[in-house]
Amino acid sequence: MKQKVLLSVNNLKKYYDIPQGLFKEKIIVKAVDDISFTITKGETFALVGESGCGKSTTGRTILKLTEPTGGRIIFDGNDIAALPYKKMRTLRNRMQMVFQDPYASLNPKKTVREILTEPLRVHKKFDHDTRLKKVKSMLEIVGLSEYHLDRYPHEFSGGQRQRIGIARAVILQPDFIIADEPVSALDVSVQSQVINLMLELQKEFELTYLFISHDLSVIQHMTDRVAVMYLGKIVEIAKTEDLFTNPKHPYTKALLSAVPITHPKEKKERIILKGDVPSPANPPSGCTFHPRCPAALDICKTQAPKTSEHGNSHSVSCHLYNKIEEEIPHAISHS
Amino acid sequence: MSANLEKAFHNEPAAKIKSKKESSIYRFFANLFRSWTGTLGFIIILGLLFISIFGPWITPYDPLYADFSKKLLPPMTDGHLLGTDQLGRDILSRIIVGARVSVIIGVLTVVIAGIFGTVVGIISGYFRGWVDVVLMRIVDVQLSFPFILLVLVINAIIGAGLRNIIISLAIGGWVIFARMIRSEVLALREKEFITACVATGVSRFEILFRHILPNLFTPLIILASLQIGTFIIAEASVSFLGFGVQPPEPAWGNMLNEGKDYIFSSWWLITFPGIAIIIAALGVNLFGDWLRDTLDPELKGE
């Protein structure tokens, strides 16, 4: 069953220049460095990684909230990277975003009514009465109600605010929503409510999600495919189930081993990585993961690995898998 | 609606629906009366407004009527509560009428300087680039001149009088507004709710007017209320130096100027207008301080 590709990101790059003063050479931070992936219609695609690995930047660049340095972002036939500001604005009714911090992403001076009507007004959808009706029904759908209409964001709890943020994103009935850590600022008990809400909305409105998170249990629960990012690069892409049962990249393995066990009797080998994440301003040579990799080879220090396919749309960027596949995975698990 | 959503819906506490306007006015005064300095400032401002509106009708004497037989009467004599000046004019009446000049100048200069400064600050902060650089260097240059000196220079060029002093004070005062509004806009444009607007597809123009401008209202009110006091004092200084409102028209500044020759023989000529200036500036500042304390936490997100 071949499904329609909604978004394809090709060799996306986002570099930041950091000037160091008049006579010093400026530092280039490669926040997102040459990443590619595709998202098919209706699926939930996750970007996972440590903080600072570039996953949020990727999300923002796809929506052109920051200009990409290079590469192509093709959304349903339109190359977003090359689209001028005004044309991009009209395309925005098909792609929306849910932000991480529900306390910062709602204008404190606007009522819920104004916040939710705005997307409809901006994209000139419906007349005044229909808009209000839409807003009311959207409020109900996200679990709020009509009497919240004239309240200000500070009168709500974090979970309620995030529901408003989600309602704002969904009210235009977009095809695609980027959720940038939508639950990480919330209480654990509220997290599951919000996640379930997002899943229900997905069913109801046939949404496609790009779900950015560092929480592996959330990802396991709600996504179809996962891309693991490390220092601005995607190191592994696989179906969620596949990734959790059969991780290939050493970094993915370390990441998964950090998930707390669910049963006290469960035995789990914890892979502890040496050192810290290197600065993206001065990434290591070759494979950027090599200084911390438990299975690093000599080649890793000099050459960046190529991405290779390993069946079932599972791709890895690691030298270990560029060789004969059988020997080496065995070698890592004992290293 | 599914069971899950239903549950979430019913977890909401039932809310009382209050009239928004009523409750915010009530909260304003409840808050104000909790602070005695704020209340004092508020009362002084109300008094000042009352005097400047109804001044000509409540003066005990004609402020311009000179009676040389009654010149330099000390306070509390012959029906003159605050005494008379060197031309026999009633000082209380002159102070009451002079209040209007101070209020007009204070308010009008703040409005003019505020509007101009805000426009410049917004352009500078929102659009950045070379416009920002040019505008801010102009501001820097102007800030390097002492305020009063600048106002006097402008007055020396365009002449004295009420209208010209408002112009010169506004020219001298807009930079503070520009600076503050720029920094405020710079902070606002990086806020996530502005990014959210961009993501929604709101145009830059609408972001500016619908989202940034309403958030500038609070800092503007605070700065304006504090600046009124500064301008009242500046007007008095300029009038004292002879550039402001011209005699015989009474203004607190030129009353000081006329009275200074009699400072050793008739202290009341200079003392009472001085006290009036202090009270007016103090009242406005007390109220402004209270406003800042009350509104600023709200500014920081909550």
Side-chain angles (χ1 to χ4, degrees):
Chain A
M1 187 176 71
K2 182 81 181 163
Q3 276 189 312
K4 193 183 157 220
V5 172
L6 184 68
L7 177 85
S8 79
V9 172
N10 301 320
N11 308 98
L12 182 69
K13 296 185 185 88
K14 176 66 193 177
Y15 297 169
Y16 291 102
D17 293 345
I18 301 180
Q20 295 292 301
L22 208 52
F23 300 109
K24 288 182 194 155
E25 214 173 313
K26 63 185 174 193
I27 293 177
I28 295 171
V29 176
K30 299 179 173 178
V32 176
D33 193 13
D34 202 3
I35 68 171
S36 304
F37 58 88
T38 58
I39 300 178
T40 55
K41 203 163 167 42
E43 79 169 338
T44 303
F45 188 84
L47 273 179
V48 66
E50 284 165 278
S51 59
C53 71
K55 52 194 196 301
S56 285
T57 309
T58 308
R60 279 162 190 264
T61 314
I62 291 171
L63 278 186
K64 227 179 167 183
L65 298 175
T66 52
E67 290 289 322
T69 312
R72 279 146 63 88
I73 306 159
I74 294 170
F75 176 77
D76 205 15
N78 303 290
D79 186 356
I80 287 173
L83 222 54
Y85 186 85
K86 282 210 171 123
K87 284 208 174 130
M88 185 63 209
R89 267 187 60 208
T90 53
L91 197 64
R92 289 192 193 281
N93 69 9
R94 300 186 51 201
M95 44 203 311
Q96 286 289 313
M97 183 150 182
V98 175
F99 290 86
Q100 175 175 7
D101 183 357
Y103 292 89
S105 61
L106 303 173
N107 189 338
K109 300 280 180 212
K110 297 279 172 194
T111 59
V112 173
R113 182 199 301 269
E114 291 168 307
I115 289 170
L116 292 186
T117 319
E118 181 152 64
L120 299 175
R121 182 175 50 79
V122 164
H123 292 286
K124 299 187 178 66
K125 287 196 170 176
F126 317 117
D127 57 76
H128 183 267
D129 294 340
T130 327
R131 278 178 200 162
L132 188 63
K133 223 178 280 169
K134 278 264 168 195
V135 168
K136 284 178 183 168
S137 72
M138 201 63 232
L139 268 182
E140 302 246 323
I141 289 170
V142 298
L144 297 171
S145 126
E146 221 182 295
Y147 60 72
H148 291 120
L149 268 179
D150 290 308
R151 297 223 193 143
Y152 289 89
H154 67 89
E155 298 175 63
F156 293 95
S157 68
Q160 288 175 317
R161 284 171 178 225
Q162 198 57 298
R163 286 165 192 272
I164 297 168
I166 290 170
R168 170 174 62 188
V170 178
I171 197 162
L172 284 165
Q173 303 203 355
D175 304 313
F176 180 54
I177 288 182
I178 294 182
D180 185 2
E181 309 222 18
V183 294
S184 63
L186 302 177
D187 209 290
V188 180
S189 60
V190 183
Q191 281 189 1
S192 61
Q193 289 179 17
V194 170
I195 285 168
N196 288 337
L197 171 67
M198 290 185 70
L199 288 174
E200 278 168 42
L201 289 172
Q202 182 169 38
K203 260 184 245 155
E204 197 166 332
F205 297 105
E206 294 170 348
L207 299 169
T208 307
Y209 284 137
L210 171 60
F211 195 88
I212 298 167
S213 182
H214 58 251
D215 188 335
L216 288 164
S217 55
V218 171
I219 282 174
Q220 190 170 20
H221 178 64
M222 73 175 285
T223 66
D224 301 317
R225 286 198 305 140
V226 188
V228 181
M229 279 185 83
Y230 182 78
L231 270 187
K233 286 191 158 81
I234 289 181
V235 295
E236 184 163 2
I237 301 180
K239 290 211 163 76
T240 305
E241 224 184 271
D242 209 18
L243 188 97
F244 277 85
T245 52
N246 180 24
K248 291 202 186 297
H249 197 281
Y251 178 65
T252 315
K253 289 184 182 183
L255 211 56
L256 291 179
S257 81
V259 176
I261 52 173
T262 49
H263 193 276
K265 286 199 177 140
E266 195 177 323
K267 278 272 158 60
K268 188 163 173 181
E269 205 179 332
R270 179 89 162 81
I271 304 171
I272 312 258
L273 294 176
K274 306 170 278 198
D276 288 323
V277 184
S279 159
N282 185 23
S285 61
C287 170
T288 49
F289 187 57
H290 85 258
R292 304 177 71 195
C293 183
L297 307 170
D298 283 341
I299 189 174
C300 299
K301 290 173 188 158
T302 52
Q303 261 182 36
K306 286 196 177 68
T307 309
S308 52
E309 288 281 339
H310 295 276
N312 205 7
S313 69
H314 193 147
S315 64
V316 190
S317 297
C318 183
H319 285 300
L320 298 172
Y321 297 93
N322 287 349
K323 302 199 165 178
I324 312 143
E325 228 202 316
E326 289 308 306
E327 297 170 26
I328 300 153
H330 187 67
I332 327 168
S333 56
H334 292 285
S335 62
Chain B
M1 217 194 295
S2 72
N4 193 323
L5 295 179
E6 199 111 289
K7 212 165 66 192
F9 172 77
H10 285 297
N11 279 340
E12 302 298 327
K16 274 179 275 175
I17 300 160
K18 267 188 290 184
S19 150
K20 193 181 91 191
K21 205 174 175 189
E22 194 185 295
S23 72
S24 68
I25 286 176
Y26 173 79
R27 256 191 294 143
F28 178 83
F29 283 110
N31 236 323
L32 179 64
F33 295 141
R34 218 174 293 150
S35 142
W36 71 267
T37 50
T39 315
L40 184 64
F42 188 68
I43 291 169
I44 292 173
I45 289 173
L46 279 187
L48 212 57
L49 284 177
F50 178 80
I51 289 173
S52 57
I53 292 168
F54 300 105
W57 292 281
I58 57 171
T59 53
Y61 297 91
D62 181 352
L64 298 180
Y65 177 71
D67 181 353
F68 288 98
S69 64
K70 288 183 174 178
K71 70 171 185 179
L72 296 175
L73 285 180
M76 315 284 278
T77 46
D78 221 0
H80 295 282
L81 194 61
L82 301 182
T84 59
D85 66 2
Q86 75 281 6
L87 299 175
R89 296 173 297 193
D90 180 49
I91 290 183
L92 178 62
S93 304
R94 288 178 68 75
I95 286 178
I96 289 174
V97 173
R100 186 180 280 186
V101 171
S102 291
V103 170
I104 288 176
I105 286 178
V107 172
L108 270 188
T109 358
V110 159
V111 169
I112 297 170
I115 290 174
F116 190 64
T118 305
V119 170
V120 170
I122 284 177
I123 293 172
S124 216
Y126 192 61
F127 296 104
R128 306 295 310 275
W130 63 269
V131 186
D132 181 31
V133 174
V134 170
L135 287 174
M136 283 305 116
R137 289 304 80 76
I138 293 172
V139 168
D140 285 344
V141 169
Q142 190 175 329
L143 279 175
S144 64
F145 288 100
F147 174 64
I148 280 291
L149 179 70
L150 188 71
V151 172
L152 288 178
V153 167
I154 298 167
N155 257 312
I157 297 167
I158 64 176
L162 186 66
R163 192 198 57 190
N164 286 351
I165 196 172
I166 291 174
I167 294 173
S168 62
L169 283 175
I171 294 176
W174 70 275
V175 283
I176 298 168
F177 285 92
R179 256 293 155 76
M180 196 211 55
I181 290 300
R182 174 179 176 267
S183 71
E184 221 38 73
V185 173
L186 281 182
L188 278 172
R189 73 200 287 274
E190 301 301 325
K191 286 267 167 74
E192 200 153 67
F193 65 83
I194 298 297
T195 314
C197 287
V198 178
T200 307
V202 185
S203 70
R204 278 185 255 222
F205 192 73
E206 273 191 293
I207 288 177
L208 188 54
F209 281 89
R210 282 178 182 270
H211 293 272
I212 290 186
L213 218 50
N215 282 290
L216 292 176
F217 191 65
T218 313
L220 256 180
I221 288 283
I222 294 164
L223 186 64
S225 68
L226 291 172
Q227 281 303 103
I228 287 178
T230 314
F231 286 136
I232 287 176
I233 292 176
E235 179 271 328
S237 319
V238 176
S239 285
F240 177 76
L241 294 167
F243 282 103
V245 178
Q246 296 300 301
E249 211 59 52
W252 296 343
N254 68 25
M255 287 172 76
L256 285 182
N257 186 23
E258 290 175 13
K260 72 174 188 299
D261 301 333
Y262 302 88
I263 188 166
F264 295 114
S265 55
S266 314
W267 54 269
W268 55 92
L269 258 62
I270 201 163
T271 307
F272 295 118
I275 290 175
I277 293 170
I278 291 172
I279 291 177
L282 186 73
V284 170
N285 274 319
L286 285 178
F287 184 69
D289 273 345
W290 169 79
L291 258 186
R292 191 192 50 211
D293 292 346
T294 334
L295 298 179
D296 238 7
E298 196 180 314
L299 199 69
K300 279 162 194 144
E302 279 310 292

